[in-house]
Amino acid sequence: MAHRYAFFEKQYVGRDYIRTCIRLIMAAFCFAAYVYERDRDRTQDLFLVVGFGIIGVSIALMFVIHYKTTIGDNQLTISGLWPTKKVVIDLDTIVNVRKDTYSRYFFNNPVYNLHRKGSLRFYSSGKDAVVLTDATGFEYYIGTQRPNEMFLVIQSEIEKHAKS
């Protein structure tokens, strides 16, 4: 029988709008250089190949999963790409849950399991995050496309297990 999670979300590497726009601008530059190249030698062909290569990589990155977030059985599990370590957060240790913006910067690099300033960060795209604080004051920033839903599910899981 398949296991049903209270919350399940996949974050993809290539679906960040800012990075996709940067790659498309680079491809457009390559195509413009191909069209306006005055020397009709092999350099012109190189611009065309690089432009199509950038577009091909952008399409391929749209299907690469950066990390999966699942909430169920009173734990939050984040699993990333193949070589990464699975992170399991026990919701019994969480004392505070809040929604926040991930960062005030416009450009944010995708990160998985980044330890920074007393926090653990997971981010792929978007600007929203759910912040979990455990009993020791350690914070977990979890970037999500559906912050309201994730926030409500975590609160309900914590309340459900606090009653029992």
Side-chain angles (χ1 to χ4, degrees), residues 49-63:
V49 170
V50 169
F52 279 123
I54 291 171
I55 289 178
V57 167
S58 293
I59 291 171
L61 284 176
M62 294 183 106
F63 299 103

Side-chain angles (χ1 to χ4, degrees), residues 54-73:
I54 291 171
I55 289 178
V57 167
S58 293
I59 291 171
L61 284 176
M62 294 183 106
F63 299 103
V64 175
I65 295 175
H66 188 216
Y67 64 86
K68 293 184 275 191
T69 306
T70 57
I71 300 173
D73 298 332

Side-chain angles (χ1 to χ4, degrees), residues 81-118:
L81 291 172
W82 309 281
T84 59
K85 181 180 177 183
K86 184 186 291 189
V87 176
V88 178
I89 302 169
D90 187 19
L91 294 179
D92 286 334
T93 63
I94 302 300
V95 295
N96 187 21
V97 180
R98 64 184 163 90
K99 293 184 291 186
D100 200 0
T101 56
Y102 178 78
S103 174
R104 59 186 169 96
Y105 300 116
F106 190 65
F107 294 107
N108 292 310
N109 290 328
V111 295
Y112 179 85
N113 204 3
L114 174 69
H115 293 266
R116 181 176 175 211
K117 297 181 183 176

Side-chain angles (χ1 to χ4, degrees), residues 88-98 118-120 131-141 158:
V88 178
I89 302 169
D90 187 19
L91 294 179
D92 286 334
T93 63
I94 302 300
V95 295
N96 187 21
V97 180
R98 64 184 163 90
S119 66
L120 188 61
V131 182
L132 309 173
T133 308
D134 66 4
T136 63
F138 194 76
E139 293 184 328
Y140 301 92
Y141 282 82
I158 291 173

Side-chain angles (χ1 to χ4, degrees), residues 4 11 33 35 46 51 57 60 96 101 107 124 127 139 141 146 148 151 155 160:
R4 302 285 294 175
Q11 294 277 340
V35 170
L46 184 62
V57 167
N96 187 21
T101 56
F107 294 107
S124 187
K127 61 181 179 184
E139 293 184 328
Y141 282 82
R146 303 178 303 184
N148 295 329
F151 176 75
Q155 275 191 332
K160 180 172 60 172

Side-chain angles (χ1 to χ4, degrees), residues 14 16-28 58 107:
D16 184 22
Y17 298 117
I18 302 299
R19 305 283 180 203
T20 303
C21 289
I22 290 171
R23 287 191 298 269
L24 290 177
I25 288 170
M26 289 188 330
S58 293
F107 294 107

